[in-house]
Amino acid sequence: MTLEQLRIFVAVAEREHLTQGARALNLTQSAVSSAITTLEGRYATKLFDRIGRRIALTEAGKLFLIEARAVLARATAAEAVLSDLSGLARGSLALVASQTVANYWLPPVIQRFRREHPGIAVSLAIGNTETVSATIRDGVADLGFIEGEIDDPALSMTEVDEDELVIVVPAGHPWAKSTPSAEELSRGGWVLREAGSGTRAMFEAALPGLGLAADDLSVALELPSNEAICAAVAAGAGATAISRLVAANAIAAGRLATVALPLPKRRFLALRHKERYLAKAAAAFLALSQAG
């Protein structure tokens, strides 16, 4: 069993899709399929069930995924120690971030880091807050970045910036001209991120201040990306609560309008595992992210 086979298995298992796993690793689908077949054949254990065009982990596959992630995390830690021996001249840095941070806040930080440390290869994965936390907890990435709060004793949290949630509606919507009541808010259709999203959790936590509970809202759509939400709201699907960073261009262009209901600010947090080795590259990136 090789580390490459483990990386291929984890990439496919996390996506439950051969083609997407191959694309993530920049490999051909035949190479990925061969690696999985070799693992299953060598140990006479079925890791995936083939269901139509998709695949799903078997019970054996689910157990093996835990161990495979652990082995890869240890290999990454060992590589980080060796890379540190050469300072920041070469090495790698794996980041994972929630959508708002990854798409709107993190890219300039990554670019500044690359200018200062061109020998460090930086990779970035994107998921919701729950996914980011799990990825750092499992040691798959060096640093995670999220919006909002989490409760995980294994993770260290460092504030790196702050963000503002705003309620937005389509241009010309009555709420843009007159502040809605709690009853009007409850009746209005809402377009929200999926459960596990930091944006949704923050909005739901702020609802009591508006005289509402999460169950009071009429949710018309749940969508997995900020861009899809902005497009749906602009098209008239309802209202949403979203980062001002995300909605800024659409507001400036007149496609969206803000509602005069203040929402609390939220923190952008950097996550790392308390008990895992913090490589020099990760420490340097964390310091740069705090510098603003």
Side-chain angles (χ1 to χ4, degrees):
M1 187 185 302
T2 66
L3 289 176
E4 182 67 8
Q5 288 174 328
L6 292 182
R7 289 190 182 96
I8 290 172
F9 167 74
V10 170
V12 173
E14 289 178 342
R15 294 161 180 81
E16 294 194 333
H17 202 286
L18 283 171
T19 302
Q20 292 179 11
R23 188 180 299 119
L25 296 173
N26 198 27
L27 296 172
T28 64
Q29 184 172 337
S30 60
V32 168
S33 180
S34 175
I36 298 297
T37 300
T38 299
L39 274 176
E40 290 181 324
R42 180 170 183 180
Y43 297 97
T45 302
K46 194 172 184 181
L47 300 174
F48 295 98
D49 286 321
R50 277 68 176 177
I51 305 172
R53 293 186 176 183
R54 298 192 64 82
I55 58 176
L57 284 167
T58 62
E59 286 304 312
K62 292 176 183 177
L63 292 174
F64 184 55
L65 178 59
I66 296 171
E67 299 303 324
R69 281 173 167 164
V71 170
L72 290 176
R74 291 299 302 161
T76 300
E79 183 181 12
V81 171
L82 290 177
S83 294
D84 275 5
L85 296 177
S86 62
L88 291 171
R90 56 192 174 91
S92 62
L93 176 64
L95 306 175
V96 59
S98 53
Q99 284 195 28
T100 301
V101 180
N103 291 322
Y104 295 90
W105 183 84
L106 202 52
V109 183
I110 293 176
Q111 182 57 26
R112 291 200 302 272
F113 181 83
R114 292 283 293 124
R115 283 199 300 266
E116 294 183 17
H117 308 290
I120 305 296
V122 180
S123 64
L124 173 63
I126 301 175
N128 63 28
T129 295
E130 287 184 354
T131 301
V132 173
S133 302
T135 301
I136 298 300
R137 193 185 315 114
D138 293 341
V140 178
D142 301 300
L143 293 173
F145 293 87
I146 62 170
E147 320 104 44
E149 309 291 330
I150 61 165
D151 182 14
D152 192 325
L155 302 182
S156 170
M157 293 175 282
T158 303
E159 182 174 353
V160 293
D161 208 339
E162 65 178 14
D163 183 32
E164 180 186 6
L165 281 185
V166 291
I167 296 175
V168 296
V169 291
H173 192 284
W175 292 2
K177 301 176 182 178
S178 176
T179 304
S181 65
E183 182 181 355
E184 288 172 321
L185 290 171
S186 67
R187 292 200 311 265
W190 289 85
V191 183
L192 299 177
R193 286 284 306 278
E194 77 286 358
S197 157
T199 297
R200 180 163 182 170
M202 184 71 178
F203 176 52
E204 291 180 346
L207 286 174
L210 302 177
L212 295 167
D215 291 341
D216 295 332
L217 297 185
S218 174
V219 180
L221 284 173
E222 288 187 353
L223 296 173
S225 80
N226 294 325
E227 289 72 20
I229 285 176
C230 283
V233 171
T240 193
I242 201 161
S243 164
R244 187 178 289 277
L245 280 173
V246 174
N249 288 339
I251 292 171
R255 296 192 301 273
L256 296 177
T258 57
V259 179
L261 285 171
L263 295 178
K265 291 187 177 182
R266 60 180 178 176
R267 300 190 296 167
F268 284 169
L269 299 174
L271 305 181
R272 68 180 184 87
H273 200 292
K274 291 179 179 178
E275 298 180 358
R276 297 189 190 277
Y277 177 75
L278 184 66
K280 287 182 180 178
F285 192 92
L286 182 58
L288 185 62
S289 70
Q290 292 176 274

